[in-house]
């Protein structure tokens, strides 16, 4: 039986149209970027007052996060599964490591947290991509 099918029926229906998918492809990275930027600025101010530089720092972090996330969502499916999983794990590890480093831990702890998360992300994503592609690297849905 083909992935994405059930006995006696064809593919599972796609409840969203193409326009909604295009909108979501923009809204998700922007929304996640705004949450990430707020979190970075909150960690950076250590419970003190909100300043203009703090807000600016959070907006820059949000912009960088959103651009990289959107790029990975757009270009990732065109890459080999190993590269795709490696890029997502590097992004996740760097994002969490940077976020954690804003709270001033020792550098080696921030690096270890980042590497541990990147390793776990790589294993999970590689497994996901490996089980959803054929031997030639074509997606199976």
């Amino acid at each position: 039986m083909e992935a994405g099918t059930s006995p006696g029926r064809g593919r599972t229906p796609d409840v969203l149209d193409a326009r909604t998918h295009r909108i979501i492809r923009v809204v998700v990275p922007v929304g996640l970027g705004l949450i990430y930027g707020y979190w970075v600025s909150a960690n950076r101010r250590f419970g003190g007052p909100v300043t203009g530089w703090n807000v600016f720092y959070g907006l820059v972090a949000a912009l960088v996060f959103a651009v990289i996330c959107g790029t990975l969502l757009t270009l990732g499916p065109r890459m080999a599964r190993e590269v795709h999983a490696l890029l997502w794990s590097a992004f996740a590890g760097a994002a969490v490591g940077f976020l954690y480093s804003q709270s001033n831990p020792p550098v080696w702890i921030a690096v270890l947290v980042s590497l541990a998360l990147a390793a776990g992300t790589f294993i999970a994503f590689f497994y996901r991509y490996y089980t959803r592609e054929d031997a030639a690297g074509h997606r199976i849905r």
Side-chain angles (χ1 to χ4, degrees), residues 36 65 68 72 85-101 109-122 125:
Y36 183 80
F65 185 95
I68 294 173
L72 283 175
L86 184 64
L87 288 175
W88 272 111
S89 62
F91 174 62
V96 169
F98 178 72
L99 182 65
Y100 186 63
S101 73
I109 292 178
V111 170
L112 285 178
V113 167
S114 174
L115 289 174
L117 184 96
T121 304
F122 179 79
F125 276 44

Side-chain angles (χ1 to χ4, degrees), residues 12 49 60 78 120:
T12 54
V60 170
R78 299 177 192 160

